[in-house]
Amino acid sequence: MRTGWLAFALILTAGLTAQDARWTSIRRAFGQEGETEAGHFRINLPRSDLQVRIGGDALSPAFEFTSYIGFVPVGARDVLAMGEVILRDDEVPAALAEAHRQGIRVTAVHNHLIGETPRIVYLHVMAQGPAAAIAAKLRAVFASSATPLKPRQESPAAALDWTAVDAILGPHAEAEESVAEYVFPRRERLAVHGITLRSTGLLETASEVVFQQLGSGRVACTGELFVLPGEVDPVVRTLDEHGLHVTAVHQHMVDASPPMYWIHWYAVGDGPALARGVAAALLHMNSVRKSEAEGKGP
C-alpha cells in the first residue's frame, strides 16, 4: 500500500514539476510572477498608460482595461493559451498583423463598452504549443501596441465598503483600488478546442461582474455574463429592465462546447440597485451563485 502511495506521489510531483517549468518560461517571457489556480496559469497586463472615461467619469484599468492571457497545460510540454489584448482602436491593425505573423489565432475583435474615450477594442486570441514559444509569440503581439510590459505593482484596495453589494452577490472575489470583482462559474463541463476547461475567472470562462466606486454614492458597473444561446435573450431583457444597458453580445472564443456567448453592459447608479439587477439576470443562468473567494469550485 505504501509503495502504491509513493508511486502516486512521484507521478503527481512529476506533473507539478512539468507545469512549474512551463509557468517559469512564461514568467521569464513576461517578467512577472503571474497567478496560478488548479493547475492553470495567468498573466495580466493592465493598460495603465490609458486614461479611459465614459462621460465625465474616469475608469480604473482594473475596471475593464486589463489584458490577460490564461494558460492550460496540454500533454507533457505544451499549453493552450487564450485571452484578450486590450487596444486603442488605432492599435488594432498593427496587433492583428503581428498576431498573423506569429501564427496566433484571432477568435474575436470587438467592443465591450460604448461611449468610452479613447475608443477601446478587445482582440481575443488563442494559441497552442510549447510554453516558451507561445509566450514569446504573444509578447510580440502585446509589444506591437503601447501596452506597458514592465511589471507593475498591483495597487491595494482602497478602504471602501462593499458590504451592501456583497450581501446581494456574495463576497467579492478580489478588490483593487476603487474596484471590486465578483465571479460566478458555470456548472456545465466546458471544452475549448477539444480541451476540457474549468469555469473560472482565471481563464474568463466564468461570469464576472465589476463595480467601481466613483464618489458621492455613485457606482459604475460592467462585466461579462457567460451564457448559453437560450439564455441570451432573457438575460439581455433582465439587464435592460434593471437599467444595466447592454453594450455587446458576442463570442470570445471559437470551438467552444457547449457554444457560449458573452453579454457586456455598462451602468452608473446606486451599488445595491445595480447588484440586484445582476442577481436577477443570474437567475436565468446555470451559474454558481457565489464568489471564488469562498474557495469552492463549480
Side-chain angles (χ1 to χ4, degrees), residues 15 28 57 66 73 75 92 102 142-143 188 193 197 245 265 276 280:
R28 188 177 299 117
D57 295 318
T66 295
V92 173
Q102 297 293 337
F142 283 108
E188 292 86 0
H193 209 48
L197 305 177
H245 306 297
W265 70 90
R276 285 190 289 271

Side-chain angles (χ1 to χ4, degrees), residues 257-282:
S257 177
M260 304 295 293
Y261 292 85
W262 281 258
I263 298 173
H264 301 268
W265 70 90
Y266 181 77
V268 174
D270 172 70
L274 298 174
R276 285 190 289 271
V278 171
L282 287 167

Side-chain angles (χ1 to χ4, degrees), residues 57 211-212 214-221 243-244 267-274:
D57 295 318
F211 295 84
Q212 178 177 336
L214 301 172
S216 302
R218 298 171 66 250
V219 174
C221 178
L244 297 154
V268 174
D270 172 70
L274 298 174

Side-chain angles (χ1 to χ4, degrees), residues 73-89:
V74 178
R77 57 191 289 270
D78 288 357
V79 294
L80 172 69
M82 56 187 189
E84 63 187 11
V85 184
I86 295 176
L87 303 165
R88 298 190 317 264
D89 59 358

Side-chain angles (χ1 to χ4, degrees), residues 108-235:
V109 182
H110 50 221
N111 68 296
H112 285 189
L113 298 169
I114 293 174
E116 76 278 11
T117 305
R119 182 69 169 154
I120 302 299
V121 176
Y122 296 76
L123 172 66
H124 293 263
V125 295
M126 179 183 292
Q128 185 173 336
I134 295 299
K137 291 173 181 291
L138 288 166
R139 193 183 190 283
V141 176
F142 283 108
S144 70
S145 71
T147 301
L149 293 174
K150 292 184 178 180
R152 170 180 173 269
Q153 187 69 34
E154 188 172 285
S155 301
L160 300 175
D161 184 8
W162 294 105
T163 305
V165 177
D166 287 354
I168 298 165
L169 296 178
H172 54 276
E174 58 183 285
E176 181 182 354
E177 298 177 339
S178 57
V179 174
E181 180 180 82
Y182 298 77
V183 179
F184 304 95
R186 301 282 312 190
R187 290 186 173 90
E188 292 86 0
R189 186 179 184 89
L190 306 175
V192 173
H193 209 48
I195 297 168
T196 300
L197 305 177
R198 297 180 70 246
S199 180
T200 168
L202 187 134
L203 299 176
E204 305 222 350
T205 50
S207 295
E208 299 180 349
V209 183
V210 182
F211 295 84
Q212 178 177 336
Q213 295 197 25
L214 301 172
S216 302
R218 298 171 66 250
V219 174
C221 178
T222 191
E224 51 188 28
L225 295 183
F226 185 41
V227 300
L228 289 168
E231 297 169 346
V232 172
D233 185 64
V235 169

